[in-house]
mmCIF file of all heavy atoms in Angstrom:
data_model
loop_
_atom_site.group_PDB
_atom_site.id
_atom_site.type_symbol
_atom_site.label_atom_id
_atom_site.label_comp_id
_atom_site.label_asym_id
_atom_site.label_seq_id
_atom_site.Cartn_x
_atom_site.Cartn_y
_atom_site.Cartn_z
ATOM 1 N N GLY E 232 16.582 18.224 24.441
ATOM 2 C CA GLY E 232 17.602 17.477 23.731
ATOM 3 C C GLY E 232 17.110 17.000 22.427
ATOM 4 O O GLY E 232 15.948 16.918 22.131
ATOM 5 N N ASP E 233 18.058 16.644 21.557
ATOM 6 C CA ASP E 233 17.789 16.223 20.177
ATOM 7 C C ASP E 233 16.845 15.001 20.096
ATOM 8 O O ASP E 233 16.042 14.841 19.238
ATOM 9 C CB ASP E 233 19.053 15.924 19.444
ATOM 10 C CG ASP E 233 19.881 17.191 19.190
ATOM 11 O OD1 ASP E 233 19.282 18.287 19.328
ATOM 12 O OD2 ASP E 233 21.066 17.050 18.924
ATOM 13 N N SER E 234 16.943 14.102 21.129
ATOM 14 C CA SER E 234 16.154 12.881 21.061
ATOM 15 C C SER E 234 14.676 13.204 21.158
ATOM 16 O O SER E 234 13.853 12.389 20.721
ATOM 17 C CB SER E 234 16.517 11.949 22.199
ATOM 18 O OG SER E 234 17.884 11.486 22.043
ATOM 19 N N TYR E 235 14.367 14.350 21.713
ATOM 20 C CA TYR E 235 12.929 14.694 21.938
ATOM 21 C C TYR E 235 12.436 15.669 20.911
ATOM 22 O O TYR E 235 11.375 16.305 21.146
ATOM 23 C CB TYR E 235 12.780 15.248 23.359
ATOM 24 C CG TYR E 235 13.100 14.210 24.450
ATOM 25 C CD1 TYR E 235 14.272 14.394 25.180
ATOM 26 C CD2 TYR E 235 12.296 13.149 24.707
ATOM 27 C CE1 TYR E 235 14.606 13.448 26.139
ATOM 28 C CE2 TYR E 235 12.582 12.197 25.643
ATOM 29 C CZ TYR E 235 13.769 12.388 26.397
ATOM 30 O OH TYR E 235 14.117 11.479 27.349
ATOM 31 N N GLY E 236 13.111 15.829 19.773
ATOM 32 C CA GLY E 236 12.612 16.704 18.721
ATOM 33 C C GLY E 236 11.305 16.217 18.174
ATOM 34 O O GLY E 236 11.108 15.012 17.946
ATOM 35 N N PRO E 237 10.360 17.123 17.911
ATOM 36 C CA PRO E 237 9.072 16.762 17.269
ATOM 37 C C PRO E 237 9.288 16.054 15.950
ATOM 38 O O PRO E 237 8.362 15.266 15.550
ATOM 39 C CB PRO E 237 8.338 18.047 17.163
ATOM 40 C CG PRO E 237 8.941 18.977 18.125
ATOM 41 C CD PRO E 237 10.397 18.533 18.188
ATOM 42 N N GLU E 238 10.352 16.308 15.239
ATOM 43 C CA GLU E 238 10.590 15.714 13.968
ATOM 44 C C GLU E 238 10.740 14.178 14.030
ATOM 45 O O GLU E 238 10.612 13.444 13.033
ATOM 46 C CB GLU E 238 11.756 16.301 13.272
ATOM 47 C CG GLU E 238 13.160 15.944 13.944
ATOM 48 C CD GLU E 238 13.493 16.934 15.082
ATOM 49 O OE1 GLU E 238 12.672 17.735 15.472
ATOM 50 O OE2 GLU E 238 14.651 16.868 15.581
ATOM 51 N N HIS E 239 10.993 13.684 15.269
ATOM 52 C CA HIS E 239 11.071 12.183 15.419
ATOM 53 C C HIS E 239 9.719 11.507 15.527
ATOM 54 O O HIS E 239 9.570 10.319 15.378
ATOM 55 C CB HIS E 239 11.906 11.814 16.678
ATOM 56 C CG HIS E 239 13.351 12.239 16.598
ATOM 57 N ND1 HIS E 239 14.179 11.802 15.589
ATOM 58 C CD2 HIS E 239 14.089 13.097 17.373
ATOM 59 C CE1 HIS E 239 15.415 12.333 15.784
ATOM 60 N NE2 HIS E 239 15.359 13.110 16.841
ATOM 61 N N VAL E 240 8.702 12.364 15.778
ATOM 62 C CA VAL E 240 7.360 11.854 15.991
ATOM 63 C C VAL E 240 6.514 11.932 14.712
ATOM 64 O O VAL E 240 5.725 11.074 14.417
ATOM 65 C CB VAL E 240 6.637 12.635 17.143
ATOM 66 C CG1 VAL E 240 5.164 12.203 17.245
ATOM 67 C CG2 VAL E 240 7.355 12.455 18.470
ATOM 68 N N ALA E 241 6.761 13.056 13.984
ATOM 69 C CA ALA E 241 5.909 13.287 12.745
ATOM 70 C C ALA E 241 5.877 12.163 11.734
ATOM 71 O O ALA E 241 4.789 11.934 11.165
ATOM 72 C CB ALA E 241 6.391 14.587 12.141
ATOM 73 N N PRO E 242 6.995 11.451 11.479
ATOM 74 C CA PRO E 242 6.907 10.388 10.494
ATOM 75 C C PRO E 242 5.940 9.315 10.853
ATOM 76 O O PRO E 242 5.188 8.828 9.956
ATOM 77 C CB PRO E 242 8.368 9.808 10.434
ATOM 78 C CG PRO E 242 9.220 10.970 10.857
ATOM 79 C CD PRO E 242 8.410 11.660 11.915
ATOM 80 N N LEU E 243 5.813 8.951 12.095
ATOM 81 C CA LEU E 243 4.841 7.896 12.526
ATOM 82 C C LEU E 243 3.433 8.381 12.288
ATOM 83 O O LEU E 243 2.576 7.642 11.724
ATOM 84 C CB LEU E 243 5.023 7.469 13.961
ATOM 85 C CG LEU E 243 3.944 6.493 14.508
ATOM 86 C CD1 LEU E 243 4.039 5.160 13.721
ATOM 87 C CD2 LEU E 243 4.159 6.265 15.967
#
Side-chain angles (χ1 to χ4, degrees):
D233 293 341
S234 295
Y235 298 106
E238 67 274 9
H239 296 300
V240 176
L243 175 62

